[in-house]
Amino acid sequence: MAHGILLIENKNENLFLRKRPADFDFKKWRKGDITALILKMRRIMHAANGVGLSANQIGLDFRMFVAEVPDSQGGTKFYAVFNPKIEKASDNKISFEEGCLSIPETWGEVDRPEKIVVSGFDKNGKPVKIKTWGFLARVFQHEIDHLDGKLFIDRTKKIYKVEPQPKKQSQQKKS
Ligand SMILES: [Zn+2]
């Protein structure tokens, strides 16, 4: 398992990825440990060229994910969301290619709502509500699926395998 990320081709890792993790319990964590957790997940996500990573993808049994996507100013915006829940989803769905760090060299077109509103908690345990659309909404939904034990290959009829290729295009979309 490269970078410590669980893969579905391993039987036990697949079983873990298919299980819904427990809620994140803020009472059991010290602030500094939560900060360290977020940094660790961000580091693993970067090392794997991903745009999102859920805690259960690295073997942790709780509902939390990180995501980092380009913003309109040419930088990136980073998110760490605990116990996320989709509050609202647009009727309008769009189809887009997805890949997953737990499913190497595999891609598929997935229909998902274009806009969603996600509720959850930030690293201090403070409730947050995030309105997302476009690519960020896509990444959030992919990660929340992970936290329900679901993978994008369950949602697509069009799956294709590709050889590892130079980063850039497809590598950037993995979460
Ligand atoms: Zn994934």
Side-chain angles (χ1 to χ4, degrees), residues 25-42:
D25 186 354
F26 282 95
K27 290 193 292 272
K28 288 186 183 161
W29 286 74
R30 283 184 310 193
K31 235 177 178 173
D33 292 336
I34 294 178
T35 305
L37 166 74
I38 292 170
L39 288 174
K40 179 186 170 185
M41 289 190 55
R42 190 179 193 180

Side-chain angles (χ1 to χ4, degrees), residues 143-154:
E143 298 314 323
I144 293 169
D145 267 0
H146 271 302
L147 298 175
D148 288 329
K150 276 189 212 138
L151 301 169
F152 84 91
I153 48 172
D154 307 335

Side-chain angles (χ1 to χ4, degrees), residues 19-25 56 60-64 83 147:
K19 217 179 62 156
R20 187 184 195 273
D23 283 342
F24 186 88
D25 186 354
N56 56 339
L60 302 171
D61 185 18
F62 47 73
R63 296 172 58 76
M64 177 269 191
N83 296 332
L147 298 175

Side-chain angles (χ1 to χ4, degrees), residues 55-141:
N56 56 339
Q57 278 184 286
I58 56 166
L60 302 171
D61 185 18
F62 47 73
R63 296 172 58 76
M64 177 269 191
F65 73 82
V66 293
E68 187 163 8
V69 300
D71 65 14
S72 52
Q73 272 84 51
T76 58
K77 192 143 171 39
F78 177 78
Y79 298 86
V81 188
F82 295 80
N83 296 332
K85 199 178 144 207
I86 295 176
E87 294 288 344
K88 264 194 233 167
S90 63
D91 292 332
N92 187 32
K93 291 189 175 181
I94 46 172
S95 185
F96 200 76
E97 185 186 60
E98 286 185 33
C100 181
L101 296 172
S102 296
I103 314 172
E105 282 119 54
T106 303
W107 302 93
E109 293 282 330
V110 185
D111 288 340
R112 293 189 190 271
E114 185 184 13
K115 296 178 192 168
I116 55 165
V117 178
V118 172
S119 68
F121 299 85
D122 69 8
K123 62 180 174 158
N124 300 311
K126 204 183 115 212
V128 289
K129 208 166 239 188
I130 309 165
K131 244 184 176 175
T132 68
W133 58 92
F135 187 53
L136 184 62
R138 170 78 35 174
V139 175
F140 272 33
Q141 289 176 81

